């Protein structure tokens, strides 16, 4: 069976689990084997997603599972995304997520954020939770690497109110050789999402990988061609996972911010 969730199109034998560690060939069907299994849950400021221009000052119930369809060597959240945490996960039904969100509405809670790992690997769970959240008059937020297929977008976009998308580089070779990802599909995801809901874009600036002024200039020029009002976040990298390169120089971030602001109206720095 071929999984249609992302660009990888993993070909899975019976019982085999895909690259993301979250999808499986079970009885001749590709199923979400981490459906409902959460490894993280917290009440976060909306700005932490990061979303700078979507209901600022509010909080959101953030939930995450395990698994990711990329393998970034600098992953800042690898203990959730790239390790098999099935044994440590807790099963939580969509109805329970709704109830938890309702219980915290007095804390300026606006809804649910699907985050921490690449939650689109379990898009069925997002869809089922998000339907209930919308029916209750609350909002849905997605944080994603943006490499899901059009099929997945068709399933979840009607329920999304805001999405933060990681645009990790603007170089196809970087996506292919370092991230083991797909720039073309990420760009297509952004082009589609910007027509449907509020979006913000984040780039984790990794020294020697994507910190060239020319790359950020080209990237933000492309984003501006979609809409110059799209909020853009430049975030500081710290050594994590398989990469021990020193943290991004703060002066580099400010220099890149100045370049980005020649194209975009709203540019923010993170982790500084």
């Amino acid at each position: 069976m071929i999984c249609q969730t992302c660009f990888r199109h993993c070909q899975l034998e019976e019982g085999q689990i895909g690259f993301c560690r979250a999808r499986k060939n079970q009885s001749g069907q590709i199923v979400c084997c981490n459906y409902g299994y959460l490894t993280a849950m917290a009440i976060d400021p909306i700005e932490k997603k990061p979303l700078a221009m979507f209901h600022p000052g509010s909080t959101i119930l953030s939930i995450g599972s395990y698994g990711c369809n990329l393998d970034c060597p600098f992953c800042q959240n690898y203990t959730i995304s790239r390790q098999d945490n099935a044994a440590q996960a807790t099963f939580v039904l969509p109805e329970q997520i709704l109830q938890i969100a309702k219980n915290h509405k007095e804390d300026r809670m606006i809804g649910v954020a699907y985050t921490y790992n690449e939650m689109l690997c379990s898009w069925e769970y997002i869809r089922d939770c998000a339907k209930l959240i919308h029916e209750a008059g609350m909002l849905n937020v997605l944080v994603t690497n943006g490499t899901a297929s059009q099929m997945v977008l068709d399933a979840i976009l009607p329920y999304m109110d805001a999405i933060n998308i990681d645009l990790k580089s603007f170089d196809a070779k970087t996506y292919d050789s370092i991230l083991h990802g797909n720039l073309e599909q990420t760009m297509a995801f952004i082009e589609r999402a910007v027509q449907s809901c509020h979006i913000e874009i984040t780039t984790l600036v990794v020294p020697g990988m994507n910190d060239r002024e020319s790359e950020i200039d080209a990237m933000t020029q492309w984003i501006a061609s979609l809409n110059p009002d799209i909020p853009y976040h430049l975030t500081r990298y710290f050594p994590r996972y398989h990469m021990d390169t020193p943290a991004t120089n703060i002066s580099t971030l400010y220099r890149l911010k100045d370049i980005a602001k020649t194209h975009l109206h709203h540019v923010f720095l993170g982790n500084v």
Side-chain angles (χ1 to χ4, degrees):
M1 298 294 296
I2 298 177
C3 181
Q4 302 293 340
T5 297
C6 77
F7 68 96
R8 291 192 179 279
H9 296 118
C10 291
Q11 299 183 49
L12 305 177
E13 300 291 342
E14 173 63 33
Q16 186 177 6
I17 295 175
F19 180 92
C20 66
R21 307 182 189 188
R23 305 195 70 79
K24 180 180 182 180
N25 182 347
Q26 182 173 298
S27 303
Q29 292 186 356
I30 302 297
V31 300
C32 169
C33 55
N34 66 343
Y35 183 100
Y37 286 95
L38 302 184
T39 60
M41 181 183 295
I43 298 174
D44 288 329
I46 193 70
E47 290 83 2
K48 193 177 178 181
K49 294 305 93 193
L51 289 171
M53 300 181 67
F54 183 77
H55 295 270
S58 62
T59 64
I60 196 156
L61 177 65
S62 297
I63 62 173
S65 183
Y66 60 89
C68 184
N69 62 338
L70 299 184
D71 190 19
C72 303
F74 49 80
C75 182
Q76 305 289 285
N77 214 21
Y78 72 96
T79 56
I80 291 176
S81 64
R82 288 309 305 158
Q83 294 187 5
D84 189 354
N85 291 294
Q88 290 77 41
T90 301
F91 185 73
V92 185
L93 288 167
E95 291 80 6
Q96 292 174 286
I97 295 296
L98 172 63
Q99 192 57 54
I100 294 168
K102 283 183 173 180
N103 290 345
H104 289 278
K105 288 186 74 172
E106 61 190 37
D107 301 323
R108 295 172 296 142
M109 173 80 68
I110 61 171
V112 176
Y114 311 92
T115 180
Y116 299 136
N117 70 306
E118 181 46 63
M119 283 289 281
L120 286 182
C121 295
S122 46
W123 61 267
E124 298 95 334
Y125 185 67
I126 294 178
R127 176 199 61 200
D128 295 347
C129 290
K131 282 182 179 180
L132 296 178
I133 293 299
H134 261 193
E135 289 169 2
M138 291 185 286
L139 304 175
N140 292 297
V141 168
L142 174 66
V143 181
T144 177
N145 62 34
T147 59
S149 68
Q150 292 295 305
M151 174 200 73
V152 171
L153 279 171
D154 288 341
I156 62 102
L157 271 181
Y159 309 105
M160 290 301 115
D161 299 289
I163 304 177
N164 184 289
I165 304 162
D166 286 337
L167 184 54
K168 299 174 184 287
S169 172
F170 210 58
D171 183 276
K173 290 182 179 179
T174 299
Y175 258 88
D176 182 55
S177 62
I178 298 178
L179 312 176
H180 307 294
N182 188 289
L183 174 60
E184 183 179 351
Q185 189 158 21
T186 306
M187 292 172 67
F189 187 109
I190 293 171
E191 289 171 343
R192 173 81 182 282
V194 76
Q195 301 174 31
S196 302
C197 64
H198 176 88
I199 76 161
E200 302 193 16
I201 295 173
T202 298
T203 299
L204 181 73
V205 179
V206 181
M209 188 195 82
N210 61 356
D211 59 344
R212 299 183 303 276
E213 294 181 9
S214 59
E215 182 169 349
I216 297 302
D217 182 65
M219 182 189 296
T220 52
Q221 189 170 357
W222 175 76
I223 295 171
S225 72
L226 302 177
N227 186 341
D229 286 323
I230 293 174
Y232 180 61
H233 302 259
L234 288 160
T235 304
R236 191 183 188 198
Y237 146 92
F238 288 94
R240 297 280 284 169
Y241 198 28
H242 297 312
M243 187 171 283
D244 58 4
T245 302
T248 315
N249 193 302
I250 293 178
S251 64
T252 299
L253 290 174
Y254 279 100
R255 187 174 72 252
L256 296 179
K257 178 181 179 181
D258 288 340
I259 291 171
K261 289 192 73 172
T262 63
H263 304 297
L264 298 169
H265 299 152
H266 311 289
V267 182
F268 305 90
L269 297 184
N271 290 346
V272 296

